[in-house]
Amino acid sequence: MTLAPEAPHTLQEVAVRFSPDGTPLAVRHDGRIWAVDPDVHAAHWFARDAWWDTRRSAPLGVGNVVDIEFWRVQVRANDAALRTFTLRLAPLSTQWQLESITDDE
């Protein structure tokens, strides 16, 4: 399935490359490498997972099991228009997901 601006809300696994300081540099999505625009501020925040709805539990000592990490970045592939990707990393996950895409131009 391809996540497109016409259907912008779906969770699809993506690969994200980060700089040494933890800022996203590029996103691999839909067979393309989308470079993060270094001149545009990337938004970074955390939200709480509704753990009471998911009934997810973790072994003692695992750490943070409720914070969802988000990044909102502007990206461009070689021949594509500028877009905004919202990325999320769920608690206890190692795989980033593409939550939404919006066209900027």
Side-chain angles (χ1 to χ4, degrees), residues 59-103:
L60 186 62
V62 164
N64 186 339
V65 295
V66 296
D67 284 337
I68 302 170
E69 184 175 4
F70 289 90
W71 281 96
R72 182 167 295 132
V73 294
Q74 288 192 316
V75 297
R76 184 184 313 265
N78 290 341
D79 59 344
L82 187 66
R83 294 198 171 146
T84 299
F85 283 6
T86 302
L87 308 167
R88 66 179 272 149
L89 182 64
L92 302 177
S93 177
T94 58
Q95 183 63 54
W96 283 89
Q97 296 176 316
L98 182 56
E99 181 175 83
S100 68
I101 295 175
T102 53
D103 281 332

Side-chain angles (χ1 to χ4, degrees), residues 15-69:
V16 182
R17 188 175 68 203
F18 290 90
S19 70
D21 71 353
T23 304
L25 295 172
V27 179
R28 181 183 298 274
H29 163 63
D30 199 25
R32 301 166 117 174
I33 301 293
W34 295 81
V36 174
D37 187 336
D39 297 327
V40 178
H41 173 72
H44 185 221
W45 72 95
F46 291 85
R48 292 289 181 162
D49 185 28
W51 57 267
W52 53 89
D53 289 336
T54 62
R55 308 280 190 248
R56 190 174 24 217
S57 62
L60 186 62
V62 164
N64 186 339
V65 295
V66 296
D67 284 337
I68 302 170
E69 184 175 4

Side-chain angles (χ1 to χ4, degrees), residues 2-9 29 83 101:
T2 300
L3 185 62
E6 301 80 40
H9 294 284
H29 163 63
R83 294 198 171 146
I101 295 175

